[in-house]
């Protein structure tokens, strides 16, 4: 790693003062930011040999932080296109039962490449499907993230409540409690890096109240806390889930997790759409974080997260693309735009500013993952995760406010994405891996996963031919 100077760009720092610079500089040494400010970078003997980038016409923001994803779903996009969550899951579980490590690696590479191309420098992954003959699928996602170069927070997910035991998934896609706990412990011991500049941190993530047993939720929380890693799950996503929890536990989803000692500052919840005022108070009081996934919530017709109420209560909120099977676009840039639009559509024009939306995708997401001291803002001493967006093309040139251009406009070309000081994207192309090869492999993975009864696009034969 060497020194790099970005000069002449607008800068949104997301630091404690929310400082912005109309035409500023950013100096990076190794994997850290060493200077940021207005005007040209000061001349320094220390950086005489630095690479200098003329960043005029661009906006620098912190690299975006994605707090919820299922990378493997990149190979099952476009299926159950008009279904709600439970019907969508029921159609897709048998498809996902065919996953193996090779398919997961190719799918994950596609998802990660697109995240990088759309400004995301840190992503989590919630992987909860481990087919018996599928090989080491968790390692496959980690290999893909290392190859692309994103900062990665994989979770060892799990499901142990098959249909015969009252759960939603078919029995052949769930594991036993003992298998899950042993594999989760191994994954933490092998992969988790607690260092302050870590490129990989593990978390523990039972899938959802309707696919895991109470015993698994309790044991998973205990395991995570013994190993000082974070806890994650889907919660309060749909009205169907509310009904399921009322019927099986006599509680709301939040009351159910709370009764198991699950809520806390080491926990973040995906979705959190169906929340009462008292549930929001409880999430806030326990310091629990939320991954807001507006596109997926819209795609599945799940509802609209009460982001304004969560933020007013002091809850840490980040954004998530969710899996590509319920968000075919899977771009965190789009989630920023969707977050503003959904908040305003339900709560009025004051419900969220464009800067607050960008905040959710940067320092907000960093907080949700427990990394606000290291990433999520552009300040001296922080890790060099930077997105440099080009705002001088026909799509954005002349837009009065660069933040409004980024948040409300279409996705700008990404001039550069730095992760840990290393260029991952330059001039809107991935530079750490071959995009065309990734696309071809992801296409083959989708065909294989669609199965023998399906065509290349995953469509039944008659629909493919009738176009
Ligand atoms: Zn999800």
């Amino acid at each position: 790693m060497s020194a790099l100077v970005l000069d002449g760009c607008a800068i949104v720092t997301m630091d404690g003062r929310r400082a912005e610079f109309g035409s500023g500089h950013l100096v990076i040494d190794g994997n850290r930011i060493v200077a940021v400010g207005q005007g040209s970078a000061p001349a320094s003997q220390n950086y005489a040999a630095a690479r200098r980038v003329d960043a005029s016409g661009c906006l620098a923001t912190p690299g975006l932080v994605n707090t919820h994803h299922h990378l493997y779903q990149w190979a099952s996009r476009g299926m159950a296109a008009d279904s709600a969550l439970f019907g969508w899951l029921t159609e897709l579980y048998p498809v996902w039962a065919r996953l193996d490590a090779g398919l997961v690696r190719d799918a994950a590479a596609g998802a990660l490449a697109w995240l990088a191309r759309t400004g995301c420098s840190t992503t989590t992954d919630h992987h909860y499907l481990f087919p018996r003959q599928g090989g080491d699928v968790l390692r496959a996602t980690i290999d893909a993230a290392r190859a692309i170069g994103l900062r990665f927070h994989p979770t060892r997910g799990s499901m142990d409540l098959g249909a015969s035991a009252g759960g939603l998934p078919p029995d052949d896609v769930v594991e036993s409690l003992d298998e899950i706990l042993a594999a989760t412990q191994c994954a933490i011991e092998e992969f988790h890096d607690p260092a302050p500049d870590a490129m990989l941190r593990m978390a523990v993530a039972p899938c959802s109240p309707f696919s895991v047993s109470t015993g698994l939720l309790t044991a998973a929380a205990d395991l995570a806390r013994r190993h000082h890693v974070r806890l994650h799950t889907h919660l309060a996503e749909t009205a169907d889930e509310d009904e399921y929890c009322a019927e099986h536990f006599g509680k709301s989803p939040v009351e159910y997790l709370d009764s198991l000692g699950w809520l806390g500052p080491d926990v973040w919840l995906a979705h959190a759409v169906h929340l009462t005022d008292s549930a929001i108070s409880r999430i806030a009081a326990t310091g629990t974080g939320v991954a807001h996934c507006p596109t997926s919530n819209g795609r599945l017709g799940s509802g609209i997260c009460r982001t304004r109420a969560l933020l007013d209560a002091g809850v840490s909120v980040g954004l998530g693309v969710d899996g590509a099977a319920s968000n075919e676009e899977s771009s965190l840039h789009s989630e920023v735009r969707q977050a503003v639009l959904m908040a305003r559509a339900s709560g009025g024009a004051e419900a969220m500013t464009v800067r607050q939306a960008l905040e959710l995708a940067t320092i907000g997401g960093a907080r949700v993952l427990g990394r606000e001291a290291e990433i999520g803002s552009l300040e001296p001493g922080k890790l060099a995760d930077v997105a440099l967006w080009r705002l001088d093309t026909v799509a954005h040139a002349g837009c009065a406010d660069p933040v409004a251009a980024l948040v409300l406009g279409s996705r700008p070309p990404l001039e550069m994405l730095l992760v840990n000081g290393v260029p991952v994207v330059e001039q809107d192309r991935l530079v750490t891996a071959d995009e065309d090869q990734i696309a071809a492999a992801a296409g083959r993975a989708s065909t294989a996963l669609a199965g023998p009864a399906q065509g290349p696009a995953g469509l039944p034969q008659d629909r493919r031919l009738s176009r």
Side-chain angles (χ1 to χ4, degrees):
M1 281 180 279
S2 52
L4 177 69
V5 177
L6 306 180
D7 230 340
C9 49
I11 301 174
V12 175
T13 65
M14 288 294 164
D15 68 5
R17 296 181 303 113
R18 296 295 183 267
E20 296 183 12
F21 305 107
S23 176
H25 64 272
L26 197 61
V27 182
I28 288 149
D29 190 1
N31 69 344
R32 301 263 171 195
I33 297 166
V34 293
V36 55
Q38 180 69 19
S40 291
S44 164
Q45 295 289 354
N46 296 342
Y47 302 112
R51 177 182 173 193
R52 288 178 180 270
V53 174
D54 174 5
S56 53
C58 295
L59 168 68
T61 69
L64 306 185
V65 179
N66 180 34
T67 58
H68 187 64
H69 207 328
H70 312 285
L71 298 174
Y72 74 90
Q73 291 183 9
W74 192 258
S76 58
R77 286 174 293 163
M79 299 180 178
D82 304 311
S83 300
L85 180 70
F86 280 16
W88 174 88
L89 281 170
T90 305
E91 187 169 333
L92 283 163
Y93 283 137
V95 175
W96 296 334
R98 291 192 276 270
L99 283 171
D100 63 30
L103 295 176
V104 168
R105 191 190 186 290
D106 290 343
L112 289 159
W114 189 239
L115 282 175
R117 283 281 312 282
T118 54
C120 174
S121 53
T122 297
T123 186
T124 185
D125 181 42
H126 187 178
H127 193 94
Y128 51 84
L129 279 145
F130 296 87
R132 216 155 281 282
Q133 307 301 325
D136 195 343
V137 295
L138 178 66
R139 188 184 302 275
T141 64
I142 290 170
D143 288 347
R146 284 176 173 157
I148 305 286
L150 291 198
R151 203 177 295 284
F152 196 34
H153 281 226
T155 66
R156 208 302 180 174
S158 51
M159 300 194 294
D160 73 335
L161 194 68
S164 66
L168 189 70
D171 288 350
D172 64 349
V173 299
V174 305
E175 302 170 277
S176 75
L177 177 58
D178 289 345
E179 285 172 326
I180 290 164
L181 295 177
T184 306
Q185 173 148 349
C186 284
I188 296 167
E189 286 169 355
E190 179 167 5
F191 298 119
H192 181 67
D193 179 3
D197 57 355
M199 287 294 288
L200 193 153
R201 293 234 180 111
M202 289 296 307
V204 178
C207 190
S208 63
F210 50 85
S211 61
V212 308
S213 65
T214 304
L216 174 54
L217 282 170
T218 307
D222 180 54
L223 179 71
R225 284 166 177 156
R226 271 191 283 118
H227 288 84
H228 308 291
V229 301
R230 296 175 93 76
L231 267 171
H232 180 51
T233 192
H234 293 101
L235 202 78
E237 182 173 359
T238 64
D240 288 342
E241 181 188 327
D242 252 349
E243 272 177 40
Y244 182 95
C245 289
E247 185 185 327
H248 287 77
F249 315 118
K251 296 179 169 72
S252 74
V254 169
E255 288 168 344
Y256 174 49
L257 276 204
D258 201 10
S259 74
L260 303 178
W262 241 75
L263 302 181
D266 56 344
V267 178
W268 85 106
L269 307 171
H271 302 299
V273 170
H274 294 268
L275 300 178
T276 61
D277 289 347
S278 64
I280 289 174
S281 300
R282 199 58 202 134
I283 287 171
T286 53
T288 308
V290 165
H292 172 37
C293 307
T295 298
S296 174
N297 296 155
R299 158 72 154 88
L300 295 170
S302 303
I304 298 179
C305 175
R306 297 175 61 193
T307 44
R308 183 71 267 153
L310 285 165
L311 293 169
D312 286 345
V315 175
S316 295
V317 179
L319 296 181
V321 300
D322 204 1
S326 64
N327 176 2
E328 278 72 4
E329 190 182 18
S330 296
S331 146
L332 206 59
H333 171 267
S334 294
E335 299 311 305
V336 180
R337 187 168 188 272
Q338 293 292 356
V340 175
L341 299 183
M342 282 219 185
R344 292 185 185 177
S346 58
E350 289 95 43
M352 188 177 290
T353 69
V354 293
R355 283 167 172 76
Q356 284 166 343
L358 188 58
E359 190 175 314
L360 301 189
T362 53
I363 192 68
R367 224 176 264 135
V368 164
L369 297 182
R371 301 203 67 174
E372 67 273 26
E374 307 153 75
I375 60 172
S377 62
L378 303 179
E379 322 180 45
K382 280 210 159 179
L383 294 169
D385 291 5
V386 184
L388 189 64
W389 311 88
R390 182 154 286 291
L391 295 181
D392 58 358
T393 72
V394 67
H396 303 88
C399 190
D401 173 0
V403 179
L406 176 67
V407 173
L408 299 177
S410 61
R411 182 178 60 81
L414 193 61
E415 184 63 24
M416 185 176 275
L417 177 74
L418 296 172
V419 184
N420 217 38
V422 176
V424 171
V425 174
E426 293 207 44
Q427 296 179 331
D428 223 22
R429 292 289 288 179
L430 200 63
V431 294
T432 50
D434 186 317
E435 275 187 33
D436 296 336
Q437 286 180 12
I438 288 171
R444 287 193 297 272
S446 300
T447 303
L449 203 58
Q454 304 285 319
L459 292 174
Q461 292 288 337
D462 57 344
R463 281 185 61 198
R464 257 185 312 124
L465 296 173
S466 66
R467 268 186 295 161

